[in-house]
Amino acid sequence: MQTSRTAAVDLYWIPLGAGGRCVRFNGRVFEAMQAARRHRPRCDLYHAALVVELDGEDYTIEVAPSPDADTSSRGVVATGAVGSRCVGWLRLFRYEVRCCRGGSIPDLAEAVGAACRLSSSPRVARRLLDLVATVPAPVWGRDELEAGEMWNSNSMIAWLIASADLSTEHLRPPPRGRAPGWDAGLVVARRTRARRGRGSPAEAALAI
């Protein structure tokens, strides 16, 4: 089988709640509370998204609510509870980790700035796609892994990038922006790399 010699791993920063008033309003309330608590100015909130090109196909990677049981059509590779494991069996309180070939990410057109090209290596792109199925899936919105902040979609993206051995040192949201959960993904990725010889990456992360 012949494979393409070209590939791309692109990171996008999308304003939280782009295209949705409810999420945007709740995000502003959350940020106002966090800013007041820490005595700092308010920031614009962003969530990260990844698009990977490999062998002529585009793959979208995201965390999203679980709308129905047809997980295969959305490329779902993992699921987790939202808020509490006690209610995670209800679809309303469940999230999905998706890696969808030929998929699309809502509001990608609202991303601020150009895509940040993280790699053009087919080997790196393939490694990152393989890692998606091993991403930790703790309770969304909680610090279940004791990483210092809540786990969310930004955590998952940061974990993937760091676990694929890509540099995250200069990856930041646009000016005056903040990506809650990002540092949690980096913290857990460092733990995962340190324990890779003790089972799968996801098992290593959750064992800490």
Side-chain angles (χ1 to χ4, degrees):
M1 179 182 298
Q2 291 185 341
T3 58
S4 171
R5 294 185 178 181
T6 62
V9 178
D10 290 334
L11 173 69
Y12 295 84
W13 294 109
I14 303 174
L16 183 66
R21 294 184 179 179
C22 181
V23 175
R24 183 165 56 246
F25 174 77
N26 290 336
R28 287 176 176 174
V29 171
F30 169 80
E31 174 58 13
M33 294 173 61
Q34 290 293 308
R37 179 183 176 186
R38 302 188 180 186
H39 306 287
R40 60 166 174 76
R42 299 181 188 181
C43 299
D44 298 324
L45 299 186
Y46 290 85
H47 70 93
L50 278 177
V51 178
V52 178
E53 178 189 348
L54 182 65
D55 298 336
E57 299 278 4
D58 285 339
Y59 297 81
T60 57
I61 301 172
E62 63 176 332
V63 171
S66 180
D68 54 53
D70 185 18
T71 57
S72 59
S73 67
R74 299 187 296 274
V76 175
V77 297
T79 63
V82 174
S84 170
R85 290 192 181 276
C86 296
V87 294
W89 61 275
L90 291 169
R91 193 171 300 281
L92 180 64
F93 296 97
R94 196 182 315 164
Y95 70 85
E96 302 175 341
V97 177
R98 301 174 184 171
C99 181
C100 187
R101 184 173 64 179
S104 61
I105 296 178
D107 307 320
L108 189 63
E110 303 293 330
V112 175
C116 177
R117 179 63 52 86
L118 304 182
S119 177
S120 298
S121 165
R123 179 177 56 84
V124 172
R126 186 170 290 106
R127 181 169 67 229
L128 191 146
L129 290 174
D130 289 341
L131 281 167
V132 180
T134 70
V135 68
V139 174
W140 189 97
R142 301 282 298 275
D143 185 14
E144 194 175 47
L145 299 182
E146 298 183 356
E149 62 178 341
M150 66 178 179
W151 187 271
N152 58 23
S153 59
N154 287 330
S155 311
M156 187 271 287
I157 296 295
W159 185 92
L160 276 175
I161 294 171
S163 295
D165 297 325
L166 290 166
S167 175
T168 61
E169 183 179 357
H170 300 294
L171 297 182
R172 296 289 185 274
R176 299 181 298 279
R178 195 168 73 86
W182 181 267
D183 288 341
L186 300 182
V187 168
V188 176
R190 285 195 292 269
R191 296 175 185 171
T192 301
R193 288 198 300 269
R195 297 182 174 227
R196 271 181 178 164
R198 305 181 186 180
S200 72
E203 289 172 343
L206 292 169
I208 297 174

